[in-house]
Amino acid sequence: MALETLVSPADVRPTRGLPMPDPLRARYGGALEIAVRPDRPTIVVNFVATIDGVVALGPDEERGGGVISGSFEPDRFVMALLRSAADVVLMGAGTIAGSSSTDWTAEHLKPDLAGSFQEWRRDLGLAPHPTTVIVTGSGDVRLGRRGVDDPALPVVFATTTGGADRLRERELPGHVNVEIAGRGDRLAPAELATFLDRYRGQVVLCEGGPHLLGGLVAANLVDELFLTVAPRVLGRGSDRLTLLEGFTLEPDQARRHELVSIKRAADYLFLRYRAAATG
């Protein structure tokens, strides 16, 4: 199912995305172009939420974005498209713990378009696959899954001093690197910002979770937000999470975003926002 464009970008600064293979362009309803910052990495966020704002279920419930979206195929396509355009896929340890034992590549989500994704990355001068960066303060993560064990998929654990010690006590595959990004029990937003700065000039795609996104917003690092609104209402309860957790702002300090585009497939909306310029 192709996405129908309701509102198109009025001011897109093309720096990455062209040329784009015709099958991907046709499915997306136009070209996907992402501006790359010269001063730090461009941080793009992709989430799916219910109408009432739930993005993740509780620890005793079935987890993963597919539960929220109903595994809607166009949502999987958009996720795959963004992965294909990214240098880095960034996620928290809680997100990989709550997901199925898979890898985080475009081809996994849409194997029927694998050839087009690979062609696009070659034309953009990107590596065959993005690097998966997993943020974990404690170093307590579940291994033994394809996304970590596959030697074709580079993986970095961004962690603290204690987390690095814990990870290095385990038998890690040779393609997995451990990098110390902080000294305390968990990574502070400023430490996360410093760590990500080493990916300057690149596109970093954050897929969750809400606490990691809270740290990115606290450090004022989010450049674009792709939000799929699923036509479902679940109710939050006490353990379910919304888009942003662990960080609050007063209303007069709210981070303003500009609407870039609206797309639709069936009863789902695909919203794209860009952080508004400040000052």
Side-chain angles (χ1 to χ4, degrees):
M1 180 185 295
L3 278 72
E4 174 189 2
T5 300
L6 303 180
V7 176
S8 298
D11 179 27
V12 173
R13 296 157 291 170
T15 58
R16 175 176 292 182
L18 298 178
M20 186 176 185
D22 289 340
L24 302 183
R25 182 191 288 260
R27 282 292 315 277
Y28 191 59
L32 173 65
E33 304 173 57
I34 299 173
V36 177
R37 300 177 60 113
D39 56 330
R40 63 166 177 80
T42 298
I43 309 295
V44 177
V45 177
N46 184 42
F47 273 79
V48 57
T50 61
I51 293 173
D52 53 331
V54 176
V55 304
L57 302 185
D60 297 325
E61 301 178 284
E62 188 178 357
R63 308 286 291 279
V67 179
I68 304 298
S69 71
S71 296
F72 189 51
E73 188 275 338
D75 179 64
R76 293 174 65 85
F77 167 72
V78 171
M79 185 185 301
L81 200 65
L82 290 170
R83 288 180 181 179
S84 192
D87 302 278
V88 173
V89 175
L90 177 73
M91 62 187 67
T95 297
I96 69 165
S99 63
S100 58
S101 184
T102 59
D103 59 55
W104 298 278
T105 64
E107 293 82 358
H108 167 73
L109 292 168
K110 292 294 298 174
D112 57 313
L113 290 171
S116 294
F117 292 134
Q118 292 163 4
E119 175 190 348
W120 196 24
R121 291 188 68 85
R122 285 196 303 268
D123 289 346
L124 295 177
L126 303 179
H129 298 288
T131 297
T132 301
V133 174
I134 301 168
V135 179
T136 170
S138 68
D140 184 14
V141 294
R142 182 161 63 95
L143 302 177
R145 52 195 303 125
R146 192 169 68 201
V148 177
D149 293 345
D150 187 341
L153 305 177
V155 176
V156 173
F157 285 108
T159 187
T160 62
T161 305
D165 291 340
R166 187 171 291 108
L167 283 165
R168 287 165 178 158
E169 290 174 353
R170 308 169 72 174
E171 187 175 347
L172 297 176
H175 66 285
V176 175
N177 293 316
V178 177
E179 298 192 19
I180 297 175
R183 303 292 175 181
D185 296 330
R186 57 181 301 176
L187 293 181
E191 292 172 329
L192 183 58
T194 300
F195 169 78
L196 289 174
D197 192 56
R198 71 191 61 188
Y199 296 103
R200 178 176 299 183
Q202 300 187 56
V203 174
V204 176
L205 171 64
C206 176
E207 294 189 355
H211 289 94
L212 176 58
L213 178 56
L216 294 174
V217 172
N220 203 22
L221 291 176
V222 175
D223 296 296
E224 295 207 27
L225 168 63
F226 288 76
L227 179 64
T228 300
V229 180
R232 314 175 74 197
V233 174
L234 291 176
R236 182 174 182 185
S238 59
D239 294 326
R240 295 176 176 181
L241 304 178
T242 56
L243 182 66
L244 189 70
E245 298 286 347
F247 176 70
T248 58
L249 288 170
E250 296 299 322
D252 61 351
Q253 299 174 324
R255 304 276 166 75
R256 192 172 68 84
H257 287 68
E258 300 168 341
L259 182 64
V260 175
S261 69
I262 303 175
K263 295 178 181 288
R264 180 182 71 183
D267 295 319
Y268 289 69
L269 288 178
F270 296 81
L271 309 178
R272 180 181 180 182
Y273 290 94
R274 181 182 297 127
T278 58

